[in-house]
Amino acid sequence: MSEPVLVRIASYNIRKAVGLDWRRDPHRIVDVIGEISADIIVLQEADKRLGRRAGVLPLDRLREEHGYVLSTVNSGGPSHGWHGNAILYRREKMSVPKAERITLPAREPRGAIAARFLPEGFAVIGAHLALTAGVRRHQIHSLCARAQHFETPTVIGGDFNHWGKTLPAGKHKVITPGLSFHASRQIAALDRFILCGSIEAKGSFVHQSMAARQASDHLPVVLDFEILKVTA
């Protein structure tokens, strides 16, 4: 028989927790994350850019108030993730994932991270892609190929930096929840999802609360999806 695996995932470029008032306030980001109530959240710009590239979020508060745990991909340093990408998952619902870094073709420092939720039977990739269209196209192809290598349904989410209507993802389904940038005046759908494998989208939206309109220059995007898990 088959039982559905229902998951809510969000993607959020938090701009290093710097809001539209140019104050770094990570607690505003935590408030927004709490509003969404996702099972998994892929973050972009979660680490500071210079120095030791320390993560900007209060992980204790995320864990204690909302049940989120960081999927660890670094080597014990202060960063939340890699190249600013990080993945949070809700420990009450999701198993501990197998996490890994993904190197992307780029002319600038870029990378992605993956979290493979093996008992649940799917994987998640979080990415922040290049500004140049040609490089970005190669990066999307690379991520889709990596998803196929996992041999399990995979959701790729992130800031694709793509201003056009059609994301070049080949045969894979692209979910565009709506205009997510700029938070003060929404003009572009930079934040999207790509579905690789047997995944059914059940709904998507841009989270547009008052808190989200102040916490970052991007609004979070949210996807509810379903995977059929075959059981004996």
Side-chain angles (χ1 to χ4, degrees):
M1 62 180 294
S2 296
E3 59 181 31
V5 177
L6 298 170
V7 182
R8 169 167 286 189
I9 184 172
S11 177
Y12 192 11
N13 184 329
I14 66 172
R15 196 169 72 154
K16 307 170 189 66
V18 176
L20 297 193
D21 56 5
W22 292 101
R23 291 191 300 112
R24 191 188 307 278
D25 187 348
H27 291 282
R28 290 190 294 200
I29 299 295
V30 175
D31 291 340
V32 174
I33 288 174
E35 292 174 346
I36 298 169
S37 192
D39 302 305
I40 303 167
I41 302 179
V42 297
L43 301 173
Q44 302 86 49
E45 299 192 25
D47 301 328
K48 294 180 180 178
R49 189 179 185 90
L50 302 175
R52 300 180 66 203
R53 299 185 179 180
V56 299
L57 293 178
L59 298 181
D60 288 346
R61 185 182 168 208
L62 280 166
R63 181 178 63 253
E64 293 166 6
E65 294 186 18
H66 302 294
Y68 287 110
V69 178
L70 189 67
S71 178
T72 305
V73 294
N74 59 35
S75 56
S79 299
H80 288 335
W82 192 49
H83 288 294
N85 297 290
I87 296 178
L88 298 170
Y89 64 97
R90 190 160 261 164
R91 59 184 178 180
E92 293 182 357
K93 180 168 181 179
M94 310 304 302
S95 63
V96 177
K98 180 179 180 182
E100 59 188 79
R101 302 176 180 184
I102 299 175
T103 300
L104 292 178
R107 298 172 185 170
E108 55 186 310
R110 294 282 177 177
I113 59 174
R116 301 169 65 186
F117 297 91
L118 301 180
E120 292 82 1
F122 69 92
V124 167
I125 295 175
H128 189 184
L129 300 191
L131 298 173
T132 306
V135 176
R136 190 166 57 244
R137 188 177 301 110
H138 285 302
Q139 291 174 341
I140 292 172
H141 291 168
S142 177
L143 290 173
C144 291
R146 188 58 166 265
Q148 290 181 312
H149 176 74
F150 289 158
E151 297 184 345
T152 187
T154 301
V155 178
I156 304 170
D159 178 356
F160 288 88
N161 267 321
H162 183 75
W163 289 71
K165 292 183 178 180
T166 303
L167 197 67
K171 64 180 181 180
H172 303 291
K173 186 173 183 179
V174 176
I175 303 297
T176 304
L179 303 179
S180 56
F181 180 86
H182 190 276
S184 64
R185 186 170 67 90
Q186 295 156 255
I187 58 174
L190 301 186
D191 307 280
R192 313 187 194 208
F193 301 96
I194 300 174
L195 307 185
C196 304
S198 56
I199 303 172
E200 181 180 358
K202 307 301 288 186
S204 66
F205 60 93
V206 179
H207 183 71
Q208 303 187 52
S209 71
M210 290 296 294
R213 290 181 179 275
Q214 291 295 322
S216 173
D217 59 348
H218 285 247
L219 295 170
V221 293
V222 184
L223 169 68
D224 294 318
F225 67 92
E226 179 180 290
I227 294 173
L228 290 180
K229 182 179 178 181
V230 178
T231 58

